[in-house]
Amino acid sequence: MKQVVQAASGGAVRVVDVPVPVIGPTEVLVATVATIVSAGTERAVTTLARSGLLTKARARPDLVRKVAEKARTDGLIPAARSVRDRLGADVPLGYSGCGRVVEVGSAVDRIRPGDLVATGGAGRANHAEFQAVPGLLCARVPGGVDPGAAAFATIGSIALHGLRLAEVGPGAKVVVVGLGLVGQLAARLGLASGCDVAGIDLADLPLVTAEASGVRALRESGEATTAAVRAWSRGRGADAVLICAAGRSAEPVMRATALARDRAQLVVVGDVGLGLLRAPFYDKELTLRFARSYGPGRYERGYEEWGVDYPAGQVRWTEGRNQEAVLDLLAADRLRVDDLVTHAFPIDAAPRAYEIVATRSEPYLGIRFDYPASAASERVGSERVGSERVGSERVGSERVGSAVAGAALAHSAGPTRDRSVSPRPRVPRQRSAPAGRRGSRVGWIGAGTFSGSVLLPAFRAAGFDQLVTVASAGGRSARAFADRHGFAGAVAGADAVLDDDDVDVVVIATPHATHADLAARALERGRHVWCEKPLALSLDELNRVEKAAATGGGVLVVGYNRRFSPAVTAARAALADRDGPLTLSYRIAAGPVPADHWYNDRVQGGRLLGEVCHFVDTCAALAGSEVDTVTALAGREAELLLAPDVAVTLRHADGSLSAISYSSARPRGVRKEHLEALAGSRHVRIDDYRELVIDGRSTWKGPQDKGHHAAAAAFLRMCRGSDTGVTAELLASSRATLAAADALGAEVPRSPARLGS
């Protein structure tokens, strides 16, 4: 399918061919009829992409801090590789459209295939022939509303949410500063609500268009304009001012203070500067508010990703209900938008539209992209599975509901509990690669930054040189990943990789909750599998993977790379002749993560299952002995499974003891990982995989090496039958980590998640 993108590294807007996206249980697949360009927002995206690194750094200081932290902990080369990978990505454009429903996720209500719906959501409802849109951001279009008009619903919701924040009603005097597309819609919605509306702008086209709709149009001319607003409002000033302008200057906000009455509402809708003076706000005791996009629910994962709606009695106007309200006003002919469209282009000509937006070579307001009617939707409908299969193979609505309910549970830290590691199913010695599966042809699932900057370079260095295809849910990032890294093809959804007979090796680098299902299905098909950690988030999942590994004929390796690092390899050799069991102490200063980080998503398993598993495996590798008993404690900062600070102790079968202290602290000057091993007269210390000290003498030192390259090389040898492998040990470490979660008393997640776009 065709999609409009902007390269993060700059250059012109492009129309690219990407796979049709795969939907999750809370999403809807829509064949697009029309989309609307939000010129202010999209111009900001393209302008930033085309700017230099210094400008990008000033705009996103949060990302600069992350890069600096990565350089400090991992070194300059990995940090630079990560930056290059991010800059090589394509940014999707668009967020407001309309189309015909092709497929509905199993947890979506009130929408059926064939429905005409308005779509919304940046990153989901794009300028593309097909959109994978959250179900709560799809609103059914009433009969009689043209698709081109319905495509305005999400942009209209931005204006409507700003108007709601202004708390105005019939007879109120409302001023709209900035009569671009959002400003025009805000003014018209104000009129539809019974308000008297004045609009202010500098350009002819916005003023003429606003006046034709019934708005009192005023050209900005300083004191004269202020006097006109005063006279219009009977000397009191406006009850509310909506700032819909865009730009770096704070002048639009400061102008609003002169136009407003005493104790009026000022609502910032556009992206404007905020270098404000206190006195005008204080003198009139003005209220300054900021509208967050389309309304309540925006940027909330529970609402947009998990499909949990707010009760209407508690939150009447969510972003989805704002969409519905705009559509109802269009259906009642109380809102008109057809005259706002100044330009219409076929999707193929999208770059021309963005050239107009960037250069302002022509006056414009609304720019619409039209999509050709074709048999594409029928093709997708026949090639895809129906909603019933989505429900059975992905997540049924009942499981989604239980996962969401589970996400709301908070557990207090109870007393520590010992947990014996449950006996693992017998895994036969790994068989050599079956005929025709020589580990040559790689299918890659997951196109994230780690895949491109760390994992793929390790696979290339190991000798995996036939890169067949890469998959992501949305397909867009897979296409960009394929072009950047030399894959022959790109597809949407994991099934296309798992079912490809040209693929020998499947690499799984997706969100954690998808790992076990994908690994088991790939192994059942006889593929060799590299699965990033964690392998599973529950014992049932792990048992399924172990069974598939034992019977499928393919090799299984989990991305526990530290056991393959030069420091651990040399330490194991040094400890091989020890007299007696080991005492291991592993301290991790992992550092804090933002509140919206996926480590805080219960469905993904948290830090214990998602990262502490690394250190459990490293301890098992150094001891050379499986874990038979686990105890664990969590701090009190969060529910048990999501605790940022965890202490885990392991007893190994040979009597060795391991203590893992995982902290979310990261003091300056302290490296992330420090491991010590004691046994009789032997003392081994590993300092952040940069130095190995044995009995007080530094025996290895160099750039940080956590073993990614050596792990990939060992995996290739296993695929080609020249190495018996370590599958049983990796499975045992996975089982021990799950025992640690059980020792905490934490309930493990049950619901798989959609793999990243």
Side-chain angles (χ1 to χ4, degrees), residues 427-578:
V427 179
R429 179 176 176 178
Q430 190 69 56
R431 290 175 285 177
S432 60
R437 300 275 183 214
R438 300 297 294 169
S440 313
R441 303 182 295 274
V442 179
W444 204 278
I445 308 177
T449 301
F450 174 78
S451 275
S453 63
V454 178
L455 198 56
L456 186 57
F459 268 66
R460 284 189 182 280
F464 290 96
D465 54 5
Q466 296 185 47
L467 306 178
V468 177
T469 189
V470 59
S472 67
R476 170 188 50 80
S477 57
R479 178 71 272 165
F481 194 92
D483 293 341
R484 197 158 64 247
H485 297 295
F487 280 80
V491 295
D495 288 349
V497 173
L498 299 180
D499 295 336
D500 189 344
D501 287 336
D502 286 337
V503 169
D504 296 335
V505 174
V506 173
V507 176
I508 299 167
T510 58
H512 292 178
T514 65
H515 287 185
D517 179 64
L518 294 176
R521 291 164 62 197
L523 289 164
E524 288 162 359
R525 289 163 168 80
R527 308 291 198 272
H528 305 306
V529 173
W530 172 289
C531 182
E532 270 305 304
K533 55 79 186 174
L535 178 60
L537 298 181
S538 71
L539 284 174
D540 287 344
E541 287 185 346
L542 184 60
N543 290 337
R544 180 189 172 194
V545 174
E546 286 185 318
K547 180 180 178 181
T551 60
V555 165
L556 169 65
V557 165
V558 186
Y560 295 144
N561 45 276
R562 284 164 176 76
R563 67 162 52 232
F564 297 97
S565 67
V568 171
T569 300
R572 291 181 70 175
L575 295 169
D577 60 351
R578 70 180 188 269

